[in-house]
């Protein structure tokens, strides 16, 4: 049997997995990457720690993929989160499991993940070349190679692993969609997912840089008054609105955000019920009895949020603590349990961690990741129209589809 030649475009998570897997099955593999270093986007995931995977079973995984989760069933059943865990341990990246089954390298360094994947690819026999793919080479409805800026790479199979349009500085500039369209594929509407949210509220700008930890968040649909998302954890105020882990997670539950449609409601003191919080307020007011209310809450609240809270409370800043009424205390308590921020939109797709949308899954064979339109053309990772919630699920899509595409392309 003659070794098949495989060209892989993009040395990100899916590309490194696909290339190393194909080479491991005996293929002669060329991995084409425009950046001088592989895995640029992996380096910035999980705040530089890299949330490698979520250690859950297959049904739980599918449940965390709101966009075309069923399409991934074959790929994830063939290479499960548990298989992924064992794989990384086997290539020299010991992992640890944290809250919500999120797995990180024990070193807390995304660079260790990238280095291990690069070694995996090279040790499997992959040739990594720095070049920019320009177009596919197609003949008689078959993929026969990749045209690069430097030269043309002829192959029996081509795997597109170029990522989405998010974080273009890492090289994810949407090239994969161009190649897919060249091959006659449909690319669904591209939208940001796992992305910060904008707000017209000037309080956000005044609190820029403030990180709130251990707070409870609800995203309220203003039309129905119901919460469409709830979470507990960390969030960040920015000059444009809101960011941080909870906000990124919330964004993937919102299909569209328009001015007036949603409000973020933050419980600043989720550990205290109304009665306990009122007792705490009485204590702080008593301790600062003869001082202005503007100086009374430095132990209760972060400095940057005190003025916005006081403005919304509506009590004069120079009112003495001893003269605060029970009704004013009740209003303050309600404000701290529901500090609201109107939302007006997503940040640009370039700031998203994940691109929602991509190559239409109806045009890809879920059992092989091969194009149904062009023989010898495969897709893996973010370029496919499938995206998940935060917590390691999106990287698992890359690992599983990359593994399947690499194995399929090698035979």
């Amino acid at each position: 049997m003659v070794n098949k030649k495989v060209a892989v475009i993009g040395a990100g998570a899916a590309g490194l997995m696909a290339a190393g897997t194909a080479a491991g099955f005996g293929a002669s593999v060329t991995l084409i990457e425009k950046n001088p270093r592989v895995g640029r986007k992996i380096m910035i995931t999980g705040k530089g720690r890299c949330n490698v995977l979520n250690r859950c079973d297959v049904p739980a995984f599918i449940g965390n993929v709101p966009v075309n989760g069923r399409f991934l069933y074959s790929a994830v059943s063939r290479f499960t989160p548990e298989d992924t865990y064992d794989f990384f341990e086997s290539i020299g990246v010991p992992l640890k499991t944290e809250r919500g089954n999120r797995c990180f390298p024990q070193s807390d360094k995304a660079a260790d993940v990238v280095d291990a994947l690069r070694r995996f690819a090279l040790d499997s026999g992959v040739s990594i070349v720095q070049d920019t793919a320009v177009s596919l080479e197609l003949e008689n409805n078959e993929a026969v190679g990749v045209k690069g800026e430097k030269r043309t790479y002829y192959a029996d199979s081509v795997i597109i692993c170029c990522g989405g349009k998010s974080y273009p500085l890492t090289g994810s500039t949407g090239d994969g969609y161009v190649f897919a369209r060249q091959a006659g594929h449909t690319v669904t509407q591209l939208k940001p997912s796992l992305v910060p949210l904008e707000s017209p509220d000037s309080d956000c700008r005044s609190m820029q840089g403030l990180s709130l930890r251990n707070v409870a968040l609800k995203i309220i649909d203003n039309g129905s008054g119901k919460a469409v998302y709830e979470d507990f954890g960390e969030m960040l105020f920015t000059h444009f609105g809101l960011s941080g882990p909870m906000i990124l997670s919330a964004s993937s539950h919102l299909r569209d955000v328009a001015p007036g449609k949603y409000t973020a409601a933050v419980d600043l003191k989720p550990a205290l019920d109304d009665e306990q919080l009122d007792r705490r307020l009485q204590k702080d007011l008593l301790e600062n009895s003869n001082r202005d209310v503007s100086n009374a809450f430095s132990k209760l609240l972060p400095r940057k949020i005190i003025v916005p809270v006081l403005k919304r409370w509506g009590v004069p800043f120079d009112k003495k603590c001893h003269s605060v009424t029970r009704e004013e205390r009740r209003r303050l308590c309600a404000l701290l349990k529901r500090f609201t921020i109107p939302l007006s939109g997503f940040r640009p797709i370039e700031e998203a961690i994940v691109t929602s949308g991509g190559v239409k899954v109806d045009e890809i064979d879920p059992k092989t990741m091969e194009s149904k339109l062009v023989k010898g053309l495969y897709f893996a990772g973010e370029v496919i129209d499938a995206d998940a919630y935060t917590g390691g699920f999106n990287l698992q899509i890359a690992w599983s589809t990359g593994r399947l595409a690499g194995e399929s392309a090698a035979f």
Side-chain angles (χ1 to χ4, degrees), residues 48-86:
R49 295 174 62 214
C50 188
N51 184 184
V52 181
L53 72 135
N54 193 287
R55 204 172 186 184
C56 62
D57 60 19
V58 174
F61 172 81
I62 299 297
N64 278 279
V65 186
V67 179
N68 295 320
R70 295 299 305 170
F71 167 79
L72 297 168
Y73 190 83
S74 289
V76 178
S77 296
R78 291 274 296 277
F79 194 69
T80 65
E82 203 58 38
D83 293 332
T84 305
Y85 189 96
D86 293 342

Side-chain angles (χ1 to χ4, degrees), residues 384-401:
I384 299 169
D385 182 18
D387 62 276
Y389 299 138
T390 187
F393 302 105
N394 286 291
L395 270 179
Q396 184 66 51
I397 294 175
W399 310 136
S400 294
T401 58

Side-chain angles (χ1 to χ4, degrees), residues 321-339:
C321 291
H322 63 74
S323 60
V324 171
T325 67
R326 179 187 293 178
E327 171 58 23
E328 287 169 339
R329 226 172 47 233
R330 187 197 64 76
R331 286 207 326 266
L332 179 55
C333 187
L335 173 59
L336 297 177
K337 297 295 284 182
R338 189 184 168 92
F339 187 88

Side-chain angles (χ1 to χ4, degrees), residues 133-359:
V134 176
S135 64
L136 299 175
E137 290 287 309
L138 304 172
E139 287 180 11
N140 302 320
N141 222 35
E142 194 169 329
V144 296
V146 178
K147 187 176 191 305
E149 286 183 351
K150 295 178 181 175
R151 69 180 187 86
T152 298
Y153 306 87
Y154 291 103
D156 302 296
S157 304
V158 174
I159 311 177
I160 296 176
C161 307
C162 310
K165 285 197 77 169
S166 51
Y167 282 128
L169 292 177
T170 65
S172 294
T173 50
D175 301 349
Y177 307 128
V178 176
F179 304 145
R181 289 191 183 103
Q182 182 197 345
H185 277 276
T186 307
V187 176
T188 62
Q189 183 187 355
L190 303 176
K191 296 176 290 187
S193 184
L194 301 185
V195 68
L197 299 173
E198 295 183 341
S199 171
D201 195 331
S202 60
D203 282 342
C204 293
R205 184 178 289 273
S206 72
M207 292 186 285
Q208 179 179 345
L210 171 62
S211 178
L212 296 178
R213 292 178 175 82
N214 301 319
V215 295
L217 171 73
K218 288 183 181 180
I219 305 292
I220 309 296
D221 183 319
N222 295 331
S224 66
K226 292 180 179 174
V228 296
Y229 179 77
E230 296 185 40
D231 204 353
F232 176 87
E234 185 179 342
M235 60 180 285
L236 174 73
F237 290 99
T238 71
H239 67 284
F240 57 75
L242 304 174
S243 189
M246 286 199 298
I247 299 300
L248 298 179
S249 297
S251 73
S252 64
H253 291 255
L254 308 175
R255 289 296 105 192
D256 55 334
V257 180
K261 185 171 182 181
Y262 295 109
T263 296
V266 184
D267 184 346
L268 297 169
K269 294 293 169 185
L272 305 176
D273 62 24
D274 289 0
E275 196 175 306
Q276 291 169 323
L277 182 55
D278 185 53
R279 285 203 298 271
R280 172 64 196 270
L281 291 176
Q282 289 182 62
K283 176 174 173 287
D284 286 0
L285 290 167
L286 185 62
E287 284 179 2
N288 295 279
S289 182
N290 294 315
R291 303 180 77 189
D292 297 347
V293 291
S294 57
N295 297 315
F297 302 116
S298 57
K299 290 181 182 176
L300 182 70
L301 297 168
R303 180 180 56 81
K304 278 193 173 181
I305 204 171
I306 290 175
V307 169
V309 164
L310 289 172
K311 282 192 325 196
R312 296 180 184 207
W313 188 22
V315 167
F317 282 30
D318 59 356
K319 181 164 186 163
K320 299 301 179 189
C321 291
H322 63 74
S323 60
V324 171
T325 67
R326 179 187 293 178
E327 171 58 23
E328 287 169 339
R329 226 172 47 233
R330 187 197 64 76
R331 286 207 326 266
L332 179 55
C333 187
L335 173 59
L336 297 177
K337 297 295 284 182
R338 189 184 168 92
F339 187 88
T340 59
I341 302 104
L343 302 174
S344 55
F346 294 119
R347 288 297 284 171
I349 195 167
E350 291 78 13
E351 294 180 30
I353 293 175
V354 170
T355 304
S356 182
V359 179

